[in-house]
Amino acid sequence: MDPKENESVYAPRAVRVICIGAGASGLLLAYKLQKHFAQVSLTIYDKNTEVSGTWHENRYPGCACDVPAHNYTYSFDPKHDWSTVYAGSLEIKGYFKDFCERYGLSNFIKTSHLVDHARWHEAEGEWEVKGLSNLGGERFTDRCDILIGATGYLNNWAWPDIAETDKYRGILLHSANWQSEVDLEGKTVALIGNGASAIQILPKIQKSARHVTNFGRSPLWVLPTIGSGTDATTQDQIERYRSVPGELLKRRKYNEAVMNSIYPIYLAESQLQADLRRDLTESMRQALQDPELEEALIPTFGVGCRRLCPDTGYLQSIKKPNVKLVMASVTGLTKNGCVDEFGKEYDADIIICATGFDTSFRPRFPIIGQGGRDLRDIWTSTDPECYMGLAVSGMPNFMMFLGPYSAVANGPTMASIEAQADYICKMIDRYQTEPIHSFQPSASAQSDFVAHVGQFMKKSVLTQHCRSGHKGHTSAGRIPTLWPGSTLHYLQALQEVRGEDWDIRHTGNRFSFLGNGISLAEFRPTSDTAYYIREHDDDTLPLTRRLRMERQIRVGSQPARELHRVNRPEVINLP
């Protein structure tokens, strides 16, 4: 009997994948699995009625991305007609919906399906996933070989720690659960928070509200925007990006180069930290020109300890006659408003809590892994342990996007998501082409990784005394859950799967993947069965990591730049 192709070396087997979440990460996973894999069935469950994750949920006034829109896209799927430099949430949601439709990804997605339980079954080597269909209210159960968490870390909005909320007779809102029917015109508003959401909200509501009291607990560094800031994109620019070859790519690469040149600001002793701190202090003083506001809002901690905020007009709005800044926590509500930590009362028709999200990473439902351990219990510690933001020891065949210690400080999240998607696909590929029962990071590799993060962070401004979501909204509550390095550093760290870091259990003989002794080339009649015979060494794939990296980053292809300094516009001659 002739040999069969499905018994050849590395022959793929059928694999079932379940992904929780249809935001930027889940959509990218669907795109890559559809493009690169056969015999992989994928189901994505999402609790919302539509795709796009946080951009579907967040719709407060002024809600926008703090990364230039041309760089808040997948690297291979640009959009030429963004309406502004920093696009609003509705437009970003439209980008992801369009991506989903263009590539037919809705075939994999079940919206209005809330997953509320997942359990690993060791004997079968599979996950059981349960949940609720929000449309019909019916329970569902599904099974898979590999479970992917793509819920992100900005989806569980957090109320401030305030007492007696039932006393308040006005309208109480959270920025992440905005009620568009609420009319702010002529109202007295209390805006709690002065972080990323609040600095977008204030310039919008200040124009219509009778008075706004903004409560903040911490100063913040306001960063001048890239390019023309929040200005609208002109039709001439849009047309040029659409019709002139390379024009949009030039803009995207410039933006990315600027972001990729600023990482040293996060190193406490760097010259760039000192330079930028001096420059930002001066620019904020020029914007505020008020000794009391300067004292309240210009930080004493390093630039980057708290998330950098692009200039949205917040500093100008805080000076308006109908705005008052109060640097104090809100500790309770009254019948007519709120009370600060000093006992002073403030009347408010509407209270807006722009207090962000629960960034503990703790899942909102049980994820029961090996030995009956719940990921919610594993991540109740001060420092949530995981392996490179991708996987957790004790959770076999479970991988995730944007886990602890994977967010990069100096660039768009999209670059990290793409690197993680590629890594996850490599693990799925290995599982599919080898007799693997289960895989998980080893406890020792995970422990060493988290220890390295802790040591690295001691050299950074991120551990200085500032309140940050990456420290659990405390000043020093935990090691910052950021990647210990730059965006480019993360991309290169994830390029290869370090097999020695993984505990892999096989079914039967681990070498059964060798099959019937025949290669794929011998089964494809149009293939080159002498592909390795060459006239010279073309060096298509260097054998060392360093040479592969140099080839990838195209060393020698760009004008020389000053190292560890912000690239200036003249480096790339943009109009």
Side-chain angles (χ1 to χ4, degrees):
M1 181 181 294
D2 287 339
K4 299 177 181 178
E5 181 176 331
N6 63 4
E7 296 174 354
S8 61
V9 63
Y10 288 126
R13 55 174 165 159
V15 177
R16 300 163 299 167
V17 177
I18 289 177
C19 176
I20 306 171
S25 300
L27 293 175
L28 181 62
L29 179 68
Y31 170 85
K32 286 185 176 285
L33 290 182
Q34 177 178 253
K35 180 179 177 65
H36 296 281
F37 287 78
Q39 300 186 60
V40 171
S41 67
L42 170 68
T43 303
I44 299 178
Y45 292 109
D46 194 286
K47 69 182 187 299
N48 294 322
T49 57
E50 297 182 76
V51 303
S52 73
T54 190
W55 299 110
H56 170 76
E57 297 172 2
N58 285 274
R59 53 190 182 276
Y60 57 81
C63 182
C65 186
D66 56 5
V67 169
H70 284 303
N71 296 74
Y72 199 80
T73 65
Y74 301 119
S75 64
F76 56 88
D77 193 64
K79 171 180 164 66
H80 73 275
D81 58 348
W82 290 107
S83 63
T84 60
V85 175
Y86 291 85
S89 60
L90 185 61
E91 194 171 4
I92 296 173
K93 175 183 175 180
Y95 170 81
F96 289 115
K97 285 186 65 178
D98 177 66
F99 181 84
C100 180
E101 292 169 4
R102 280 188 289 114
Y103 294 106
L105 306 182
S106 59
N107 296 329
F108 306 108
I109 301 169
K110 292 186 177 182
T111 55
S112 298
H113 279 66
L114 176 67
V115 173
D116 58 19
H117 191 276
R119 178 178 291 274
W120 169 252
H121 293 274
E122 181 72 22
E124 296 90 340
E126 62 184 25
W127 284 90
E128 180 181 54
V129 174
K130 296 182 178 181
L132 178 70
S133 169
N134 293 340
L135 294 179
E138 299 177 353
R139 300 290 301 173
F140 69 87
T141 300
D142 201 353
R143 292 219 171 198
C144 64
D145 302 300
I146 297 173
L147 179 63
I148 309 295
T151 56
Y153 57 90
L154 298 180
N155 65 11
N156 188 12
W157 38 282
W159 289 103
D161 185 15
I162 51 180
E164 300 178 303
T165 57
D166 57 334
K167 283 187 175 182
Y168 182 56
R169 296 184 180 178
I171 299 173
L172 182 64
L173 299 174
H174 194 285
S175 57
N177 188 35
W178 192 259
Q179 300 171 29
S180 57
E181 67 274 12
V182 173
D183 184 9
L184 300 175
E185 185 70 35
K187 299 295 195 303
T188 299
V189 179
L191 175 61
I192 303 175
N194 68 336
S197 301
I199 71 164
Q200 294 177 338
I201 292 172
L202 180 62
K204 294 294 183 180
I205 67 172
Q206 174 271 325
K207 297 173 184 177
S208 57
R210 182 168 68 85
H211 187 272
V212 181
T213 303
N214 180 207
F215 296 90
R217 294 187 295 180
S218 303
L220 73 164
W221 289 110
V222 177
L223 190 68
T225 54
I226 294 175
S228 54
T230 55
D231 295 344
T233 307
T234 68
Q235 286 302 311
D236 285 346
Q237 287 174 314
I238 291 174
E239 178 58 25
R240 192 166 68 246
Y241 290 149
R242 185 193 67 79
S243 61
V244 179
E247 197 72 11
L248 178 54
L249 179 63
K250 188 188 298 184
R251 164 52 64 184
R252 295 168 64 216
K253 287 179 73 69
Y254 168 70
N255 289 349
E256 205 83 3
V258 170
M259 290 184 284
N260 282 337
S261 66
I262 68 170
Y263 186 76
I265 68 170
Y266 296 97
L267 303 178
E269 303 300 324
S270 72
Q271 185 61 47
L272 186 56
Q273 167 67 212
D275 292 346
L276 196 55
R277 184 167 182 167
R278 180 194 63 238
D279 293 347
L280 292 186
T281 298
E282 180 59 27
S283 67
M284 289 183 68
R285 282 177 176 162
Q286 288 295 322
L288 293 168
Q289 296 187 15
D290 181 303
E292 290 187 10
L293 291 177
E294 292 170 24
E295 177 70 20
L297 291 176
I298 298 177
T300 57
F301 50 77
V303 178
C305 178
R306 188 182 180 195
R307 183 177 177 88
L308 292 171
C309 297
D311 185 5
T312 60
Y314 176 81
L315 298 181
Q316 292 71 30
S317 297
I318 209 73
K319 297 170 57 181
K320 300 294 184 180
N322 67 331
V323 176
K324 179 178 178 60
L325 175 66
V326 176
M327 294 303 289
S329 298
V330 172
T331 56
L333 300 187
T334 66
K335 178 176 67 174
N336 298 316
C338 58
V339 181
D340 71 17
E341 60 185 296
F342 304 110
K344 186 173 181 179
E345 297 186 15
Y346 302 82
D347 289 345
D349 302 314
I350 299 170
I351 297 176
I352 301 171
C353 298
T355 47
F357 300 86
D358 176 358
T359 57
S360 67
F361 290 94
R362 191 170 186 260
R364 298 167 74 173
F365 58 89
I367 300 179
I368 312 298
Q370 212 165 39
R373 295 192 68 193
D374 189 338
L375 187 56
R376 296 177 302 171
D377 297 331
I378 295 174
W379 281 354
T380 55
S381 63
T382 302
D383 301 318
E385 289 209 350
C386 79
Y387 175 78
M388 299 181 81
L390 289 163
V392 183
S393 181
M395 295 286 148
N397 294 14
F398 172 74
M399 300 195 75
M400 58 191 165
F401 288 89
L402 300 176
Y405 314 110
S406 70
V408 290
N410 70 306
T413 303
M414 300 297 286
S416 297
I417 289 173
E418 289 196 36
Q420 291 165 356
D422 288 351
Y423 195 104
I424 290 170
C425 285
K426 290 172 185 176
M427 293 301 295
I428 294 174
D429 178 52
R430 183 166 181 181
Y431 177 88
Q432 186 179 35
T433 56
E434 296 182 36
I436 294 175
H437 169 273
S438 57
F439 58 87
Q440 60 179 302
S442 69
S444 60
Q446 178 170 286
S447 179
D448 284 351
F449 169 71
V450 175
H452 171 77
V453 175
Q455 288 298 314
F456 176 88
M457 290 299 171
K458 293 177 182 179
K459 301 180 292 184
S460 75
V461 298
L462 298 161
T463 51
Q464 293 180 358
H465 193 77
C466 73
R467 192 177 299 274
S468 167
H470 294 296
K471 291 184 284 191
H473 298 293
T474 65
S475 296
R478 69 182 183 202
I479 297 172
T481 48
L482 287 162
W483 177 255
S486 68
T487 300
L488 294 175
H489 179 266
Y490 188 57
L491 299 187
Q492 292 184 341
L494 260 61
Q495 282 187 325
E496 298 180 16
V497 174
R498 290 172 47 84
E500 64 270 29
D501 293 346
W502 292 85
D503 285 338
I504 297 178
R505 178 184 165 193
H506 295 85
T507 301
N509 189 318
R510 72 183 64 203
F511 289 103
S512 63
F513 74 88
L514 292 174
N516 57 16
I518 306 296
S519 75
L520 180 62
E522 294 163 84
F523 285 104
R524 299 296 170 89
T526 59
S527 66
D528 180 359
T529 55
Y531 64 90
Y532 49 88
I533 300 299
R534 298 164 291 172
E535 292 182 335
H536 57 84
D537 187 357
D538 49 21
D539 194 25
T540 55
L541 185 63
L543 299 179
T544 63
R545 287 173 173 162
R546 180 63 56 170
L547 284 178
R548 286 196 295 272
M549 286 191 290
E550 288 184 357
R551 180 74 59 83
Q552 185 176 43
I553 63 179
R554 301 168 190 154
V555 171
S557 67
Q558 303 295 311
R561 67 185 188 281
E562 188 178 4
L563 295 180
H564 312 307
R565 299 291 184 269
V566 176
N567 291 335
R568 300 301 178 186
E570 58 268 19
V571 173
I572 300 176
N573 188 23
L574 291 172

